[in-house]
Amino acid sequence: MLRSILIYFSRALWAQRIVSDWGAARKMASRFVAGEGIEDALRVIEALNEKGIVATLDHLGEHTSTPEEANLAAEEIIATLDALESSSASSNVSIKLTQIGLGLDESLCERNLERILTQAKSSGNFVRIDMEDTPFTDKTISLYERMLEKGFKNISVGMVIQSYLYRSEEDVHRLLQLGARIRLVKGAYQEPVSKAFPKKLDVDANFDLLTKHLIDAALAAGAPAISDNGRIPPVPAIATHDEKRIDFARQYAQRMKLSKNALEFQMLYGIRRNLQEQLSLEGFPVRVYVPFGVHWYPYFMRRLAERPANLWFFVSNLFRN
């Protein structure tokens, strides 16, 4: 119930206007968001890189409401890729397709995505297409496939799959046949029982099953490793803070003799830092999802929805201010 309420608030514009003006909210959001500008994000990445951890940058924003906003968002993502090219940062980029027009006009989104991938390809970087809620699942996968048809390779673009959806095993098989590099997550949106597993136990079991499929596919593809500059990921990116899921992936990879540099773990900025550093010291590539920008509110609310402890921390700080 609490999770549903917070996800509702993440989409409520009236709530966004109120919370965004609270100093306590901005302070709490800074735990999960690197800052508002690219310079802030690059400083965070530099600190991560010094610890042997790589990153993926997300210029926050989703569900743009006009073509002009969608085009501007695409320009900002291209500028992020330019900034990475001009730096020594070990980081790639993650994007949401509703940010560049998917909710408005699929052809507009396709043009913007092609512009972004053209820049990524020319600078030798990689763009991960985030998966959003189920009204956009089929369109997102179709756009990824069209980008491959246009000549973009899997070293330039990858996908995300959510283990809480019933359909995800079929989607994983479909994408792996195309050689996709896949980030596996549990899923952070509110979905109906008709589309998603309602019980955590089933979500976790599906996560482990899909992890096996990704590791098997990595081996079948020759176990491609993370690139030397940290920008191009291996086939499986296991994105979770759940130590049981991480342990399953480590043990299965070891049993199947997949080299450590061909399996990447991903976590969110500001969460489980000790675990990030531990995995990195063990020799696994670790990539931290680093969001930045002024549109931090929806992302922040979803982080609160994921862990009640985050919400209580926020509320306690709110009433101290």
Side-chain angles (χ1 to χ4, degrees), residues 233-257:
V235 171
I238 308 304
T240 181
H241 307 100
D242 184 337
E243 291 189 56
K244 291 182 179 178
R245 311 284 71 77
I246 291 169
D247 287 344
F248 178 88
R250 284 192 294 194
Q251 291 165 12
Y252 186 72
Q254 183 177 15
R255 187 161 79 247
M256 301 303 293
K257 295 181 169 51

Short mmCIF file of all heavy atoms in Angstrom, two decimals, residues 233-257:
data_model
loop_
_atom_site.label_atom_id
_atom_site.label_comp_id
_atom_site.label_asym_id
_atom_site.label_seq_id
_atom_site.Cartn_x
_atom_site.Cartn_y
_atom_site.Cartn_z
N PRO A 233 29.81 -2.38 -21.57
CA PRO A 233 29.62 -3.42 -20.56
C PRO A 233 29.64 -4.82 -21.15
O PRO A 233 29.53 -4.99 -22.37
CB PRO A 233 28.22 -3.10 -20.02
CG PRO A 233 27.50 -2.54 -21.22
CD PRO A 233 28.54 -1.76 -21.99
N PRO A 234 29.77 -5.83 -20.32
CA PRO A 234 29.60 -7.21 -20.79
C PRO A 234 28.12 -7.50 -21.06
O PRO A 234 27.28 -6.62 -20.91
CB PRO A 234 30.14 -8.04 -19.62
CG PRO A 234 29.98 -7.17 -18.42
CD PRO A 234 30.12 -5.76 -18.89
N VAL A 235 27.81 -8.72 -21.45
CA VAL A 235 26.41 -9.08 -21.77
C VAL A 235 25.51 -8.97 -20.54
O VAL A 235 24.47 -8.31 -20.59
CB VAL A 235 26.35 -10.49 -22.38
CG1 VAL A 235 24.89 -10.96 -22.51
CG2 VAL A 235 27.01 -10.51 -23.76
N PRO A 236 25.86 -9.62 -19.41
CA PRO A 236 24.96 -9.54 -18.25
C PRO A 236 25.34 -8.38 -17.32
O PRO A 236 26.49 -8.25 -16.92
CB PRO A 236 25.18 -10.87 -17.52
CG PRO A 236 26.34 -11.55 -18.18
CD PRO A 236 26.94 -10.60 -19.15
N ALA A 237 24.36 -7.55 -17.00
CA ALA A 237 24.51 -6.53 -15.97
C ALA A 237 23.45 -6.82 -14.91
O ALA A 237 22.26 -6.63 -15.15
CB ALA A 237 24.33 -5.14 -16.55
N ILE A 238 23.88 -7.33 -13.78
CA ILE A 238 22.96 -7.74 -12.72
C ILE A 238 22.79 -6.54 -11.78
O ILE A 238 23.69 -6.21 -11.01
CB ILE A 238 23.51 -8.97 -11.96
CG1 ILE A 238 23.88 -10.09 -12.96
CG2 ILE A 238 22.51 -9.45 -10.94
CD1 ILE A 238 22.74 -10.52 -13.86
N ALA A 239 21.63 -5.91 -11.88
CA ALA A 239 21.40 -4.65 -11.17
C ALA A 239 20.49 -4.88 -9.97
O ALA A 239 19.27 -4.96 -10.09
CB ALA A 239 20.77 -3.63 -12.12
N THR A 240 21.11 -4.99 -8.81
CA THR A 240 20.35 -5.24 -7.58
C THR A 240 21.22 -4.93 -6.37
O THR A 240 22.45 -4.98 -6.45
CB THR A 240 19.89 -6.71 -7.52
OG1 THR A 240 19.13 -6.92 -6.32
CG2 THR A 240 21.06 -7.68 -7.54
N HIS A 241 20.55 -4.60 -5.25
CA HIS A 241 21.23 -4.47 -3.98
C HIS A 241 20.95 -5.67 -3.08
O HIS A 241 21.39 -5.70 -1.93
CB HIS A 241 20.78 -3.19 -3.26
CG HIS A 241 20.91 -1.96 -4.11
ND1 HIS A 241 19.85 -1.40 -4.77
CD2 HIS A 241 21.99 -1.22 -4.44
CE1 HIS A 241 20.26 -0.34 -5.45
NE2 HIS A 241 21.55 -0.22 -5.28
N ASP A 242 20.23 -6.63 -3.60
CA ASP A 242 19.81 -7.82 -2.87
C ASP A 242 20.98 -8.82 -2.86
O ASP A 242 21.34 -9.39 -3.88
CB ASP A 242 18.59 -8.42 -3.56
CG ASP A 242 18.01 -9.63 -2.84
OD1 ASP A 242 18.74 -10.27 -2.07
OD2 ASP A 242 16.82 -9.93 -3.07
N GLU A 243 21.56 -9.03 -1.70
CA GLU A 243 22.76 -9.87 -1.61
C GLU A 243 22.48 -11.31 -2.00
O GLU A 243 23.38 -12.01 -2.51
CB GLU A 243 23.35 -9.79 -0.21
CG GLU A 243 23.94 -8.41 0.09
CD GLU A 243 24.72 -8.38 1.39
OE1 GLU A 243 25.65 -9.19 1.55
OE2 GLU A 243 24.40 -7.54 2.25
N LYS A 244 21.27 -11.79 -1.79
CA LYS A 244 20.95 -13.16 -2.20
C LYS A 244 20.98 -13.31 -3.72
O LYS A 244 21.43 -14.32 -4.26
CB LYS A 244 19.59 -13.57 -1.65
CG LYS A 244 19.57 -13.75 -0.14
CD LYS A 244 18.21 -14.21 0.34
CE LYS A 244 18.21 -14.41 1.87
NZ LYS A 244 16.87 -14.82 2.36
N ARG A 245 20.49 -12.29 -4.41
CA ARG A 245 20.52 -12.33 -5.88
C ARG A 245 21.96 -12.21 -6.37
O ARG A 245 22.36 -12.86 -7.34
CB ARG A 245 19.68 -11.19 -6.48
CG ARG A 245 18.27 -11.05 -5.91
CD ARG A 245 17.29 -12.07 -6.41
NE ARG A 245 17.48 -13.41 -5.95
CZ ARG A 245 17.13 -13.86 -4.72
NH1 ARG A 245 16.66 -13.04 -3.82
NH2 ARG A 245 17.30 -15.13 -4.40
N ILE A 246 22.75 -11.38 -5.71
CA ILE A 246 24.15 -11.22 -6.08
C ILE A 246 24.90 -12.52 -5.85
O ILE A 246 25.69 -12.97 -6.70
CB ILE A 246 24.78 -10.06 -5.29
CG1 ILE A 246 24.18 -8.72 -5.76
CG2 ILE A 246 26.30 -10.04 -5.44
CD1 ILE A 246 24.54 -7.55 -4.88
N ASP A 247 24.66 -13.15 -4.70
CA ASP A 247 25.33 -14.41 -4.40
C ASP A 247 24.96 -15.49 -5.42
O ASP A 247 25.81 -16.28 -5.84
CB ASP A 247 24.97 -14.88 -2.99
CG ASP A 247 25.66 -14.06 -1.91
OD1 ASP A 247 26.63 -13.35 -2.24
OD2 ASP A 247 25.22 -14.12 -0.75
N PHE A 248 23.69 -15.52 -5.82
CA PHE A 248 23.28 -16.50 -6.82
C PHE A 248 24.05 -16.29 -8.12
O PHE A 248 24.55 -17.24 -8.72
CB PHE A 248 21.77 -16.40 -7.09
CG PHE A 248 21.30 -17.36 -8.14
CD1 PHE A 248 20.90 -18.64 -7.81
CD2 PHE A 248 21.28 -16.99 -9.49
CE1 PHE A 248 20.48 -19.55 -8.78
CE2 PHE A 248 20.87 -17.89 -10.47
CZ PHE A 248 20.48 -19.17 -10.12
N ALA A 249 24.14 -15.03 -8.55
CA ALA A 249 24.84 -14.73 -9.80
C ALA A 249 26.32 -15.10 -9.70
O ALA A 249 26.88 -15.70 -10.63
CB ALA A 249 24.69 -13.24 -10.14
N ARG A 250 26.96 -14.77 -8.59
CA ARG A 250 28.37 -15.11 -8.42
C ARG A 250 28.59 -16.62 -8.46
O ARG A 250 29.50 -17.11 -9.13
CB ARG A 250 28.89 -14.55 -7.08
CG ARG A 250 29.14 -13.07 -7.09
CD ARG A 250 29.91 -12.62 -5.88
NE ARG A 250 29.16 -12.79 -4.63
CZ ARG A 250 29.49 -12.24 -3.47
NH1 ARG A 250 30.57 -11.49 -3.39
NH2 ARG A 250 28.77 -12.41 -2.39
N GLN A 251 27.74 -17.34 -7.74
CA GLN A 251 27.92 -18.79 -7.66
C GLN A 251 27.64 -19.48 -8.98
O GLN A 251 28.37 -20.40 -9.38
CB GLN A 251 27.01 -19.34 -6.55
CG GLN A 251 27.44 -18.93 -5.16
CD GLN A 251 26.37 -19.14 -4.10
OE1 GLN A 251 25.37 -19.82 -4.34
NE2 GLN A 251 26.56 -18.57 -2.93
N TYR A 252 26.61 -19.01 -9.68
CA TYR A 252 26.30 -19.63 -10.97
C TYR A 252 27.40 -19.33 -11.98
O TYR A 252 27.81 -20.21 -12.75
CB TYR A 252 24.94 -19.16 -11.49
CG TYR A 252 24.51 -19.90 -12.74
CD1 TYR A 252 24.10 -21.22 -12.69
CD2 TYR A 252 24.55 -19.27 -13.99
CE1 TYR A 252 23.73 -21.91 -13.84
CE2 TYR A 252 24.18 -19.94 -15.14
CZ TYR A 252 23.77 -21.26 -15.06
OH TYR A 252 23.41 -21.95 -16.20
N ALA A 253 27.87 -18.09 -11.99
CA ALA A 253 28.95 -17.72 -12.91
C ALA A 253 30.21 -18.55 -12.63
O ALA A 253 30.89 -19.01 -13.55
CB ALA A 253 29.26 -16.23 -12.79
N GLN A 254 30.51 -18.75 -11.35
CA GLN A 254 31.69 -19.55 -10.99
C GLN A 254 31.51 -21.00 -11.44
O GLN A 254 32.44 -21.62 -11.97
CB GLN A 254 31.91 -19.49 -9.48
CG GLN A 254 33.16 -20.23 -9.02
CD GLN A 254 33.39 -20.09 -7.52
OE1 GLN A 254 32.50 -19.68 -6.78
NE2 GLN A 254 34.59 -20.42 -7.08
N ARG A 255 30.29 -21.53 -11.23
CA ARG A 255 30.04 -22.92 -11.62
C ARG A 255 30.15 -23.10 -13.12
O ARG A 255 30.66 -24.11 -13.61
CB ARG A 255 28.65 -23.34 -11.14
CG ARG A 255 28.36 -24.82 -11.36
CD ARG A 255 27.23 -25.30 -10.49
NE ARG A 255 25.92 -24.94 -11.03
CZ ARG A 255 25.08 -24.09 -10.47
NH1 ARG A 255 25.42 -23.47 -9.34
NH2 ARG A 255 23.91 -23.84 -11.01
N MET A 256 29.73 -22.09 -13.87
CA MET A 256 29.76 -22.16 -15.34
C MET A 256 31.10 -21.69 -15.90
O MET A 256 31.29 -21.67 -17.11
CB MET A 256 28.62 -21.33 -15.93
CG MET A 256 27.23 -21.77 -15.48
SD MET A 256 26.89 -23.51 -15.87
CE MET A 256 26.88 -23.45 -17.66
N LYS A 257 32.01 -21.25 -15.00
CA LYS A 257 33.35 -20.79 -15.38
C LYS A 257 33.31 -19.54 -16.27
O LYS A 257 34.09 -19.40 -17.22
CB LYS A 257 34.14 -21.92 -16.06
CG LYS A 257 34.43 -23.09 -15.11
CD LYS A 257 35.24 -24.17 -15.79
CE LYS A 257 35.76 -25.20 -14.80
NZ LYS A 257 34.73 -25.76 -13.89
#
